[in-house]
């Protein structure tokens, strides 16, 4: 009976994906919840869907969304928000792995979670206390950064090592951060790279991006820009916004169309650096037709997130009345923010 239910679930999800156009007016996170409703025996309300779908199924669907194995036609940002919503609901039902990942999604800005740091840390702590290796790594990050609790680099290192000892990639990445920053341990960039590589080779997107940075800059190893591009690409293909942004920057001098593609994917996830760079491409017609109106839209998105370059550029448009209505008061506001 369970296998039959899973077959029906997959079939209904496929039909729900095909019906995406009909859901375009729905908020991003709600859209995927609607897909979950459609997938669960055709129930009519979100409450019924939540009751019918087991916690384990919710967790499995969330992780498929995060990995790109489901709803591939949706933007990464949409999938991550939907996954975070499902993880949060599963976490509230007591699913230990969901607690760890829900905490991760809320502590990292680009991962779609919206819970307060204190609540995320409590989930991470409960997962860690249950010996969940991802939970230990997330809690290690929180202690290292002082997010949602008092900073404690010694606890951070201990938890990261416990997670890494179990073979968890996010724990290996955290140990790498500790060595690179000299957090709770003597700074050692070469050892940091060793740990980043272990995590990256397991497919950890953040570690792949970080290792790409080490290759590009020459941190803990000889500079190798070709290797950097390879690691950025691996991270980008998994939906890592910073990996996408850095890969785009590497493509700009060669394949500008490819660069715009990756800037757009990162910008749609809310990466302000990518939004500003995509705006420049729109403004100057790099890898696409010139579109200053669209450029202003992307400058505004980046500016509202605090990007100083975008604030300056948006101020210029407001000052000179190009594309937008001239408004020197608004221009001054953006110039001041950038300053």
């Amino acid at each position: 009976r369970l296998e039959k239910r899973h077959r029906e679930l997959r079939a209904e999800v496929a039909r729900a994906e095909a019906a995406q156009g009909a859901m375009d007016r729905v908020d991003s996170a709600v859209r995927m919840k609607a897909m979950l409703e459609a997938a669960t025996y055709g129930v009519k309300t979100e409450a019924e869907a939540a009751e019918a779908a087991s916690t384990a199924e919710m967790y499995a669907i969330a992780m498929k969304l995060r990995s790109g194995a489901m709803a591939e036609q949706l933007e990464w940002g949409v999938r991550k928000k939907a996954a975070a919503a499902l993880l949060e609901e599963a976490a509230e039902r007591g699913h230990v792995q969901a607690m760890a990942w829900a905490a991760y999604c809320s502590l990292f800005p680009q991962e779609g979670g919206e819970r307060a740091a204190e609540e995320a840390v409590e989930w991470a702590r409960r997962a860690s206390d249950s010996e969940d290796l991802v939970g230990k790594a997330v809690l290690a990050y929180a202690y290292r950064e002082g997010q949602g609790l008092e900073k404690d680099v010694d606890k951070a290192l201990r938890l990261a090592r416990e997670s890494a000892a179990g073979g968890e990639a996010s724990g290996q990445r955290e140990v790498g951060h500790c060595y690179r920053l000299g957090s709770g341990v003597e700074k050692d960039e070469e050892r940091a790279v060793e740990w980043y590589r272990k995590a990256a080779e397991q497919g950890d997107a953040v570690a792949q991006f970080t290792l790409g940075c080490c290759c590009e800059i020459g941190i803990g190893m000889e500079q190798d820009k070709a290797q950097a591009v390879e690691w950025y690409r691996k991270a980008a293909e998994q939906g890592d916004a910073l990996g996408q942004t850095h890969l785009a920057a590497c493509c700009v001098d060669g394949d500008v169309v490819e660069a715009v593609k990756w800037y757009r994917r990162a910008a749609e996830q809310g990466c302000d650096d990518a939004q500003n760079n995509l705006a420049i491409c729109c403004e100057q017609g790099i890898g696409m037709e010139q579109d200053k109106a669209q450029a202003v839209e992307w400058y505004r998105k980046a500016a509202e997130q605090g990007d100083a370059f975008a604030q300056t550029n948006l101020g210029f448009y407001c000052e000179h009345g190009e594309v937008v209505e001239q408004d020197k008061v608004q221009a001054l506001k953006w110039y001041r923010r950038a300053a």
Side-chain angles (χ1 to χ4, degrees):
R1 186 178 174 186
L2 184 59
E3 289 178 358
K4 180 183 177 183
R5 183 177 180 182
H6 285 172
R7 286 197 299 272
E8 291 177 351
L9 178 64
R10 287 193 289 270
E12 291 296 332
V13 167
R15 284 194 285 273
E17 289 175 4
Q20 183 203 343
M23 291 192 276
D24 280 344
R25 296 183 299 277
V26 184
D27 175 78
S28 299
V30 176
R31 183 185 305 168
M32 282 309 306
K33 285 192 175 183
M35 288 173 63
L36 178 61
E37 291 173 26
T40 311
Y41 292 117
V43 291
K44 303 299 182 184
T45 69
E46 182 179 331
E48 288 178 297
E51 184 177 346
S54 74
T55 305
E57 286 173 330
M58 294 177 73
Y59 172 75
I61 290 170
M63 298 310 287
K64 283 185 178 181
L65 288 168
R66 283 188 55 80
S67 70
M70 180 184 283
E72 293 181 9
Q73 80 278 20
L74 297 179
E75 297 169 2
W76 270 108
V78 172
R79 289 206 295 268
K80 285 184 176 181
K81 284 184 179 180
L86 292 171
L87 287 167
E88 287 166 7
E89 189 161 348
E92 288 172 350
R93 295 182 180 195
H95 192 285
V96 172
Q97 291 169 295
M99 288 178 189
W101 281 102
Y104 175 84
C105 290
S106 285
L107 289 175
F108 288 84
Q110 303 297 332
E111 298 303 323
E114 297 180 347
R115 299 300 178 95
E118 292 76 13
E119 186 175 2
V121 164
E122 184 55 31
W123 275 336
R125 194 189 304 281
R126 289 173 63 187
S128 177
D129 289 346
S130 298
E131 299 302 317
D132 183 85
L133 298 178
V134 174
K136 286 181 182 292
V138 175
L139 189 57
Y141 165 80
Y143 272 120
R144 179 170 59 81
E145 292 293 317
Q147 276 207 47
L149 42 62
E150 188 175 347
K151 185 173 182 175
D152 189 328
V153 295
D154 294 326
K155 283 185 179 178
L157 180 62
R158 176 178 59 79
L159 286 163
R161 281 177 167 163
E162 288 176 7
S163 178
E168 170 55 41
S170 58
Q172 294 168 341
R173 182 221 311 152
E174 264 305 308
V175 174
H177 287 330
C178 291
Y179 275 111
R180 180 173 60 84
L181 300 169
S183 181
V185 68
E186 186 177 348
K187 185 173 181 177
D188 188 332
E189 291 180 342
E190 289 185 6
R191 290 195 71 179
V193 167
E194 289 174 12
W195 283 107
Y196 288 145
R197 193 176 297 281
K198 286 180 182 181
E201 287 174 350
Q202 284 203 71
D204 185 271
V206 178
Q208 290 169 342
F209 161 71
T210 308
L211 186 55
C213 291
C214 293
C215 293
E216 184 176 19
I217 301 168
I219 296 174
M221 62 189 300
E222 287 189 14
Q223 192 177 46
D224 188 335
K225 292 194 175 181
Q227 273 280 302
V229 170
E230 286 186 27
W231 287 116
Y232 288 150
R233 189 174 298 280
K234 287 179 186 291
E237 288 172 349
Q238 292 197 74
D240 184 86
L242 292 175
Q244 292 169 342
T245 302
H246 282 245
L247 178 60
C250 292
C251 293
V252 163
D253 293 332
D255 189 342
V256 292
V257 174
E258 180 82 352
V260 167
K261 178 186 83 172
W262 290 113
Y263 277 141
R264 189 177 298 280
R265 290 189 183 181
E268 287 169 349
Q269 290 196 65
C271 178
D272 59 331
D273 190 27
Q275 289 169 341
N276 181 67
N277 288 332
L278 181 58
I280 292 170
C281 293
C282 295
E283 182 180 63
Q284 299 181 12
I286 298 171
M288 61 189 300
E289 287 189 15
Q290 187 180 49
D291 188 337
K292 290 190 176 183
Q294 193 175 109
V296 169
E297 288 181 22
W298 286 114
Y299 280 140
R300 191 178 300 281
K301 288 178 185 291
E304 288 171 350
Q305 292 196 75
D307 187 286
F309 294 106
Q311 290 168 340
T312 302
N313 290 330
L314 183 57
F316 177 86
Y317 277 96
C318 292
E319 180 185 4
H320 295 278
E322 188 174 356
V323 180
V324 298
E325 186 177 345
Q326 188 178 41
D327 188 334
K328 294 192 176 182
V329 173
Q330 278 290 305
L332 184 59
K333 180 191 82 171
W334 288 116
Y335 287 146
R336 280 180 171 160
R337 288 192 185 182

